[in-house]
Amino acid sequence: MMGKFITFEGGDGVGKTTQATLLANALKTLGLKVKITREPGGNVIGEKIRNLMKSSSPSDMDPLCEALLMFAARRDHFVKLIKPLINKGYFVVCDRFYDSSLVYQGVLKKIAFEDIMALKKITIGDFEPDLTIILDVDSDVSIERLSTRKLILDEYDLMKKNEHDLIRKGFQKTAEIFSFRSVIVNAAGSEQKIFAKIMKIVQKRLLDILPSG
Ligand code: TMP
């Protein structure tokens, strides 16, 4: 049986990593083969590119260079890890994927949508996630969560409220464009309450392999 590819998207501080981990654990307890991963990162080359990006100051990196690096990391991650695991029947749960490039390098850094989609086509072809969960919350909430969570903040963690708002709108737009695979989840409230909503969506969308609830 082919596996499934589930992505988590949304701005910084919305709770993607927490929810991706909760989902991966829940799927494991159902007896499924599961791999949790992230972008940029997830494998050796991806993590090196992540470190390069996180350690560079914003002015050091040209936006197109940043986009090319994101897709270079994604290409390696895709061919070496994501695709082989899906072919082996794994549920691969990924913390961010190419919607993040459309929003951060596209909306925020003003690279044209068509150019990002061209990079997508070159690097991963027509491949799409089976399901994308977009966590959506007021930027005041995500900024507050960020301030209490991380010790080392990168360029994107230090953004102002207007940039958080732009990113939030960007993901709302990707949800519209890719409505066939995207579901927006209100990420306000407790982790367990948010997770219950996500689990229901996964059950409904991937019903053939999960018990209905
Ligand atoms: P995070 O894993 O802590 O969210 O950090 C990843 C950062 O990388 C985040 O601020 C968003 C950024 N990013 C991009 O700019 N483009 C991309 O394509 C991806 C996957 C992440």
Side-chain angles (χ1 to χ4, degrees), residues 12 16 39-40 50 53-54 66 70 74 96-97 100-101 104-105 150 154 156:
D12 300 75
K16 293 177 301 302
E39 290 205 345
R50 182 188 183 89
M53 190 202 149
K54 291 238 171 200
E66 197 175 288
M70 291 298 111
R74 183 161 298 125
R96 294 193 184 280
F97 197 53
S100 283
S101 302
Y104 287 82
Q105 283 68 52
K150 284 191 178 175
D154 65 30
Y156 288 121

Side-chain angles (χ1 to χ4, degrees), residues 157-173:
D157 295 325
L158 297 167
M159 290 177 308
K160 304 272 177 298
K161 182 171 163 54
N162 65 324
E163 290 168 311
H164 278 272
D165 288 340
L166 212 63
I167 287 170
R168 186 182 181 198
K169 282 209 189 85
F171 281 113
Q172 288 167 350
K173 189 78 191 157

Side-chain angles (χ1 to χ4, degrees), residues 62-79:
D62 164 73
L64 184 56
C65 169
E66 197 175 288
L68 290 164
L69 283 175
M70 291 298 111
F71 278 98
R74 183 161 298 125
R75 164 77 191 172
D76 202 69
H77 189 209
F78 176 69
V79 294

Side-chain angles (χ1 to χ4, degrees), residues 99-166:
D99 293 355
S100 283
S101 302
L102 284 167
V103 173
Y104 287 82
Q105 283 68 52
V107 175
L108 205 65
K109 301 242 167 133
K110 311 227 174 341
I111 295 181
F113 178 86
E114 295 72 28
D115 291 346
I116 304 268
M117 288 309 285
L119 293 177
K120 185 260 173 188
K121 182 86 179 165
I122 292 166
T123 50
I124 61 168
D126 293 329
F127 179 79
E128 291 286 341
D130 295 291
L131 173 64
T132 298
I133 303 281
I134 297 176
L135 296 179
D136 179 77
V137 75
D138 190 275
S139 353
D140 287 331
V141 175
S142 45
I143 291 167
E144 171 62 24
R145 284 180 187 165
L146 271 178
S147 70
T148 54
R149 194 186 296 159
K150 284 191 178 175
L151 291 176
I152 302 165
L153 302 175
D154 65 30
E155 172 200 353
Y156 288 121
D157 295 325
L158 297 167
M159 290 177 308
K160 304 272 177 298
K161 182 171 163 54
N162 65 324
E163 290 168 311
H164 278 272
D165 288 340
L166 212 63

